[in-house]
Amino acid sequence: MEMSLLGPDGVSHPESHMETLTMSRKERERITIMAGVKGNELTQVQAAELMGLGYRQTKRVWRRYQDEGDAGLVHRLRGKAGLRRKPPALRAQVLARYAEERYADFGPTLMAEELEKEGLVVDHDTVRRWLLAEGKRTVRRRRQQHRQWRERKPCFGAMVQLDGSHHDWFEGRRAKCVLMVMVDDATNRLRARFFEEETTRASYDVLEGWVRQHGLPGSLYVDRDSIYRCEGQTSVADQLAGKERQTQFGRAMEQLGVELILANSPQAKGRVERMNGVLQDRLVKALRLAGINDLESANRFLDETFLREFNRRFERVAASPLDAHRGVPRNLDEVLSWEEERVVQRDWTVACEGQWYQLDRQHEALSLSGRKVVVRTLRDGQVQLVYRGRKLKWKELPKRPARVQPSTPSKPARAIKPPGANHPWRRPLLRAGRSARFGVGDSGQPPLRSGFPPSPTPNRRNKEAIAVNKRGHSPLSYKGDISIKF
């Protein structure tokens, strides 16, 4: 509150530098008390009790009030520079450094840390006030949503949160990539690794690094990405058996005995989400200052420099000193793989992903034809065929052997020959009702038992005229007429 301060004569003096100072509430209350003492309504002893001061201090306040009026009640250090104030030259140097392009997006805390490396020791809150005063930083107020707080796990290794952070980590110096981040829920212990994409292989690799270093955690807290959760519907057979479809990562966690917890929202695994935000701020700028532009150098920088300093600074002590990690299994490489069930064909071959494998004869006692085997593909490309936990011996076929079909001798097609000119079918036929007459022919042979006349000799032909009546009958005259009933 700004007040027009009066001098001892009760008149405001514009030339006094104290007129523009702001009085505190305690100082305004003292004006009322001193006015009561001046009007003989209060004694100095009573005024001292009301102001909470000693009698000697009250006498000094009353004397300054008499000499200077209301301005005498303002604190003597009001408007003066503090003894701990940074030199103006240092402030100008810090602001000039912040104006550089590489520090343009640094926050106050990270900027103070970088300045300390260069010998410029300034508190982060001082840097924040300087930036606010210069208009180079604004205060962002976000609308808050109610969330239920979850207590941290009591010991190291009880739960580890895993997530992939997609970001332009190299600020356009190379293509975008993903940082796979693992954070311990109890201690904030961090492990991270760069990959081209967030895949099952990337999840396997970053998890193997954690397990090799610390052991198997009790549980993994992940999102509902397709790497960790099957989108398809469970088959009828699995539903009847009470089984749920699993991804390759889910199957591996079940074999390792690690509980896989799927978060229903990003806020549910807020620790790793907030860690992603911190890394997107600090790690991006650290890579920029180090001049790193490729994944191999970035991963080496993480392991040798960044993660050590980061964990030393941000790791916290767990509530319990117990380490909940379990030992590293011997078959970790075989578990962190891809497994598919395939049926053995009758020729003892197995097909998977366009490749054909011939099982060895030494497994004949297992009677594998028609049974299901597991085709396991390791991360290094090695293939294993497993039947009930037993590894089978096999060899890869260059291509699928052609199936030989049993061949049956085929009869040549008979050529259809038209009947000759002297064939009985070409002989004239006499039909009269149900009777027909055939001539014996020049050969003099009797008619056949079938009722047809015998074939004439090839050198003699019947030259009888054929008369066709109106009803369609064809009378034929032979030397010996024979009447045949059909």
Side-chain angles (χ1 to χ4, degrees):
M1 177 179 179
E2 294 184 358
M3 297 184 62
S4 179
L5 304 180
L6 302 179
D9 54 357
V11 181
S12 177
H13 297 278
E15 65 275 6
S16 176
H17 72 282
M18 303 293 292
E19 290 185 4
T20 59
L21 295 179
T22 302
M23 298 186 70
S24 64
R25 186 177 65 176
K26 181 175 66 174
E27 293 169 347
R28 295 196 302 269
E29 292 175 354
R30 289 183 179 183
I31 292 178
T32 305
I33 297 174
M34 290 294 102
V37 175
K38 184 178 181 180
N40 296 325
E41 297 176 359
L42 293 173
T43 63
Q44 294 187 22
V45 176
Q46 293 172 337
E49 184 177 356
L50 291 175
M51 291 187 297
L53 301 177
Y55 177 71
R56 296 179 62 184
Q57 180 66 17
T58 302
K59 290 181 66 175
R60 286 193 290 268
V61 172
W62 167 244
R63 188 179 305 113
R64 286 200 302 266
Y65 179 76
Q66 287 179 319
D67 297 339
E68 304 177 16
D70 294 347
L73 302 180
V74 179
H75 199 280
R76 295 300 182 181
L77 296 179
R78 185 71 53 80
K80 295 183 179 180
L83 298 178
R84 299 177 57 187
R85 182 182 182 181
K86 299 296 182 181
L90 177 60
R91 174 174 178 171
Q93 188 177 2
V94 171
L95 293 178
R97 186 61 55 84
Y98 189 81
E100 296 180 8
E101 183 178 357
R102 60 175 181 170
Y103 295 119
D105 55 348
F106 276 46
T109 303
L110 186 57
M111 188 64 188
E113 295 177 5
E114 292 298 324
L115 292 173
E116 186 178 0
K117 296 179 181 178
E118 301 178 11
L120 303 177
V121 181
V122 184
D123 187 72
H124 65 89
D125 196 44
T126 302
V127 177
R128 182 184 65 84
R129 289 196 304 269
W130 288 352
L131 296 178
L132 288 175
E134 293 293 326
K136 297 182 179 181
R137 182 175 178 82
T138 57
V139 179
R140 296 181 300 172
R141 300 190 181 276
R142 301 177 180 178
R143 184 179 179 181
Q144 297 182 356
Q145 184 179 2
H146 178 267
R147 296 287 178 184
Q148 183 67 33
W149 178 77
R150 179 181 62 82
E151 187 177 0
R152 290 179 179 266
K153 294 298 181 181
C155 53
F156 177 51
M159 175 189 289
V160 178
Q161 299 187 12
L162 170 63
D163 190 31
S165 179
H166 299 263
H167 188 66
D168 188 10
W169 295 97
F170 297 89
E171 300 176 307
R173 299 189 298 274
R174 74 173 305 278
K176 291 185 178 182
C177 58
V178 62
L179 180 68
M180 300 298 295
V181 181
M182 295 188 68
V183 181
D184 181 67
D185 189 76
T187 63
N188 276 351
R189 176 70 65 85
L190 172 67
R191 177 172 177 80
R193 198 80 177 168
F194 281 108
F195 297 93
E196 291 290 350
E197 296 179 355
E198 184 178 6
T199 59
T200 302
R201 172 65 182 267
S203 301
Y204 279 163
D205 289 347
V206 69
L207 176 63
E208 182 187 19
W210 182 281
V211 173
R212 299 290 185 189
Q213 185 176 2
H214 305 293
L216 282 175
S219 61
L220 274 180
Y221 208 177
V222 297
D223 55 20
R224 306 183 75 84
D225 191 87
S226 59
I227 298 176
Y228 316 110
R229 181 177 70 99
C230 279
E231 299 290 344
Q233 188 177 2
T234 308
S235 62
V236 177
D238 291 340
Q239 291 179 7
L240 295 177
K243 297 181 180 179
E244 295 184 358
R245 294 187 61 185
Q246 290 181 325
T247 62
Q248 293 291 339
F249 192 88
R251 184 265 316 159
M253 294 303 101
E254 183 179 6
Q255 293 182 1
L256 293 174
V258 177
E259 181 183 6
L260 191 63
I261 305 175
L262 303 178
N264 292 321
S265 66
Q267 290 78 10
K269 52 183 183 64
R271 288 186 176 88
V272 68
E273 294 289 349
R274 289 190 295 272
M275 187 65 70
N276 290 339
V278 174
L279 294 175
Q280 289 176 8
D281 180 44
R282 288 174 169 265
L283 181 56
V284 168
K285 296 160 186 175
L287 294 174
R288 179 200 309 166
L289 298 180
I292 297 177
N293 303 326
D294 60 283
L295 293 188
E296 183 178 357
S297 301
N299 287 326
R300 186 166 55 251
F301 174 73
L302 281 173
D303 295 336
E304 298 177 357
T305 306
F306 185 82
L307 291 181
R308 294 180 181 178
E309 178 63 23
F310 192 91
N311 287 327
R312 183 192 64 80
R313 181 177 180 83
F314 294 103
E315 187 175 349
R316 58 174 295 169
V317 179
S320 172
L322 176 67
D323 188 352
H325 287 95
R326 292 176 283 115
V328 181
R330 296 181 178 178
N331 61 339
L332 182 62
D333 291 334
E334 297 179 355
V335 175
L336 301 180
S337 61
W338 291 264
E339 294 185 357
E340 297 289 344
E341 279 191 347
R342 291 295 184 267
V343 178
V344 181
Q345 305 298 323
R346 297 180 65 88
D347 54 1
W348 285 58
T349 59
V350 179
C352 184
E353 301 293 337
Q355 300 294 330
W356 292 88
Y357 309 99
Q358 177 71 62
L359 296 179
D360 195 84
R361 187 183 184 87
Q362 65 180 2
H363 304 300
E364 187 176 4
L366 299 177
S367 302
L368 296 177
S369 177
R371 300 183 183 273
K372 291 183 178 181
V373 297
V374 174
V375 181
R376 177 187 296 158
T377 305
L378 305 184
R379 284 172 292 163
D380 58 359
Q382 182 182 354
V383 178
Q384 297 178 353
L385 270 63
V386 183
Y387 176 69
R388 295 182 179 179
R390 177 178 178 179
K391 297 179 184 178
L392 305 177
K393 188 176 181 181
W394 53 271
K395 67 177 181 179
E396 184 175 354
L397 300 177
K399 61 180 181 178
R400 179 70 173 102
R403 295 183 179 272
V404 180
Q405 302 292 341
S407 60
T408 57
S410 58
K411 297 181 180 180
R414 296 178 59 184
I416 300 177
K417 298 180 179 180
N422 58 349
H423 196 273
W425 290 357
R426 295 186 179 273
R427 297 293 300 273
L429 181 63
L430 176 64
R431 293 180 179 177
R434 295 184 179 181
S435 302
R437 293 180 178 274
F438 295 90
V440 177
D442 296 339
S443 61
Q445 298 293 332
L448 302 177
R449 297 180 59 183
S450 61
F452 293 95
S455 300
T457 57
N459 56 355
R460 300 184 65 179
R461 300 206 177 164
N462 189 0
K463 300 181 180 180
E464 297 286 342
I466 301 175
V468 181
N469 57 10
K470 296 181 179 179
R471 296 182 179 179
H473 299 289
S474 298
L476 182 62
S477 298
Y478 294 92
K479 293 181 178 181
D481 295 338
I482 300 175
S483 178
I484 302 175
K485 297 182 179 181
F486 292 94

